Amino acid sequence: MKAAPHRMGFVTILGRPNAGKSTLLNTLLQEKLAITSPRPQTTRQQLLGILTHDDYQIVFWDTPGYMRRTRDALDRRMLGHVQEAMLAADLALLVAEPRPPGETEKSLLKALAAEGTPAVLALNKVDRVSKPHLLPVIQAYHEIAPSMEIVPISALNADGTDLLLKLLVDRLPQRAAEYDADELTDRSERFLASEMVREQLFRRFGQEVPYDTAVEVEEFLEADGEERTKDYIRVVIYVNRASQRRILIGKGGAAMKEVATAARLQMEDLFNRPIYLDVWVQVWTEWRDDPAFLEEVGY
Ligand SMILES: Nc1nc2c(ncn2[C@@H]2O[C@H](COP(=O)(O)OP(=O)(O)OP(=O)(O)O)[C@@H](O)[C@H]2O)c(=O)[nH]1
Ligand SMILES: [Mg+2]
């Protein structure tokens, strides 16, 4: 029997904020690579996640939630990341909540059609709705994009995701692998470390606090087997106001200690070695509007 041809391609994961794009990326990769949280606009940049199998290699781009309006330099850059990833893709994986298409989904589908980029729709979070509820949703999408494949999934429970993966592979071009089999992402450990701290901020703090924070790795020193028995990572969290700094640090530093411990455990898990994590909090009001800084932290 002749072996199936090797397929390889770039798949952009698109959708409104909070649809479950990053959760889906992690489920497809079977690796906790992207940060996720119950709050919208957790992801601020493109993140590449590479899935390699004997018969295929898929390079996924996780993207920030699609915004139709932007307020500041950070928003504009986030939207730019979505547009770039859209242009680079062989295929788009649109992730949506199990609701009829809204303006966001409609404008994404329109933009994809204009580019001639084929799309597959993952209707996510179906663990939250009953089957009869799904039918009119599928019907509504079918009306605006008749040839688009629609797969109900739960990214959280890895339900329907094998079928989704198969569908994606079938739609990729016949092409050789471009990345080594052991490559997981294009991002540095430095960047991933800063993201793990940011994830804790999004998960633990309310109101505008997570949105007003940026995280930068100031120093990343590898263990030297002598004095430094663990990697040393020093991280600075920037916040807009002094009151937010107090909230982040907490009584006697308790809140920050919890953030640092949780982030460190994630780093040790992904990097597979012990880490010493040192976290500082500084007030800087204008970081959201400083393009040079945004470039530096990778948003
Ligand atoms: N019930 C349920 N919740 C889900 C599912 N997938 C994701 N979520 C939750 O939805 C929330 C948002 O998930 P993310 O993966 O961060 O969403 P995102 O689309 O990457 O969000 P942004 O990066 O902000 O655009 C998190 O609380 C997830 O746990 C699912 O299949 N079922
Ligand atoms: Mg995300």
Side-chain angles (χ1 to χ4, degrees):
M1 204 174 80
K2 201 164 165 284
H6 189 278
R7 294 181 184 274
M8 190 273 165
F10 293 81
V11 176
T12 296
I13 307 178
L14 298 169
R16 69 171 61 215
N18 209 42
K21 299 177 292 300
S22 303
T23 305
L24 178 57
L25 175 74
N26 292 341
T27 298
L28 292 170
L29 295 176
Q30 296 186 14
E31 193 83 59
K32 172 70 173 65
L33 176 68
I35 65 167
T36 65
S37 91
R39 302 172 133 255
Q41 294 176 18
T42 304
T43 305
R44 286 181 178 161
Q45 71 305 96
Q46 303 146 316
L47 173 73
L48 202 137
I50 305 162
L51 181 64
T52 301
H53 187 270
D54 286 346
D55 307 327
Y56 61 83
Q57 181 169 69
I58 308 184
V59 181
F60 291 102
W61 288 100
D62 187 18
T63 66
Y66 182 72
M67 289 177 269
R68 286 182 306 127
R69 278 174 218 90
T70 56
R71 292 158 303 174
D72 52 25
L74 177 62
D75 282 359
R76 286 190 291 281
R77 287 178 62 95
M78 284 165 64
L79 183 61
H81 295 319
V82 178
Q83 287 160 342
E84 266 167 44
M86 208 144 74
L87 289 179
D90 295 299
L91 184 63
L93 171 54
L94 179 63
V95 183
E97 310 248 354
R99 277 189 259 135
E103 287 309 316
T104 302
E105 288 76 21
K106 285 180 188 162
S107 50
L108 277 170
L109 285 171
K110 210 167 139 191
L112 290 167
E115 280 302 322
T117 308
V120 169
L121 172 68
L123 274 183
N124 191 29
K125 310 192 185 182
V126 296
D127 52 288
R128 286 195 184 157
V129 296
S130 61
K131 276 225 171 72
H133 177 97
L134 265 183
L135 292 177
V137 178
I138 294 175
Q139 189 55 39
Y141 271 103
H142 193 69
E143 269 161 34
I144 57 170
S147 60
M148 179 170 63
E149 202 73 52
I150 303 174
V151 192
I153 65 159
S154 167
L156 203 58
N157 302 338
D159 195 7
T161 45
D162 285 346
L163 175 66
L164 174 65
L165 195 58
K166 192 178 169 324
L167 250 136
L168 296 174
V169 172
D170 287 347
R171 279 160 184 73
L172 292 180
Q174 294 183 17
R175 214 190 260 157
E178 288 183 17
Y179 293 85
D180 289 341
D182 60 357
E183 274 184 272
L184 176 66
T185 182
D186 62 332
R187 293 294 190 145
S188 62
E189 287 186 341
R190 205 183 170 97
F191 174 78
L192 297 172
S194 70
E195 286 290 277
M196 287 172 200
V197 174
R198 217 161 58 70
E199 177 173 67
Q200 294 306 318
L201 303 179
F202 268 73
R203 289 187 174 194
R204 287 165 194 269
F205 297 96
Q207 293 166 351
E208 80 293 347
V209 172
Y211 301 98
D212 287 350
T213 54
V215 179
E216 185 179 28
V217 171
E218 273 201 335
E219 194 145 39
F220 195 138
L221 301 171
E222 300 212 355
D224 59 10
E226 291 173 19
E227 269 177 36
R228 204 177 311 116
T229 53
K230 298 175 178 185
D231 285 20
Y232 171 82
I233 305 179
R234 188 173 65 244
V235 161
V236 180
I237 301 172
Y238 294 103
V239 292
N240 282 356
R241 295 195 299 274
S243 59
Q244 295 172 330
R245 181 169 185 272
R246 281 194 294 277
I247 294 170
L248 285 197
I249 292 174
K251 216 171 173 191
M256 199 35 51
K257 201 165 169 199
E258 282 181 24
V259 165
T261 303
R264 177 180 56 78
L265 290 173
Q266 295 244 18
M267 288 174 206
E268 292 182 333
D269 209 38
L270 189 64
F271 304 161
N272 215 0
R273 54 182 194 269
I275 306 277
Y276 184 93
L277 178 66
D278 198 8
V279 183
W280 295 80
V281 187
Q282 280 180 24
V283 179
W284 180 15
T285 313
E286 302 88 23
W287 69 261
R288 291 179 69 101
D289 261 313
D290 187 325
F293 172 73
L294 296 174
E295 183 76 42
E296 202 177 301
V297 288
Y299 305 156

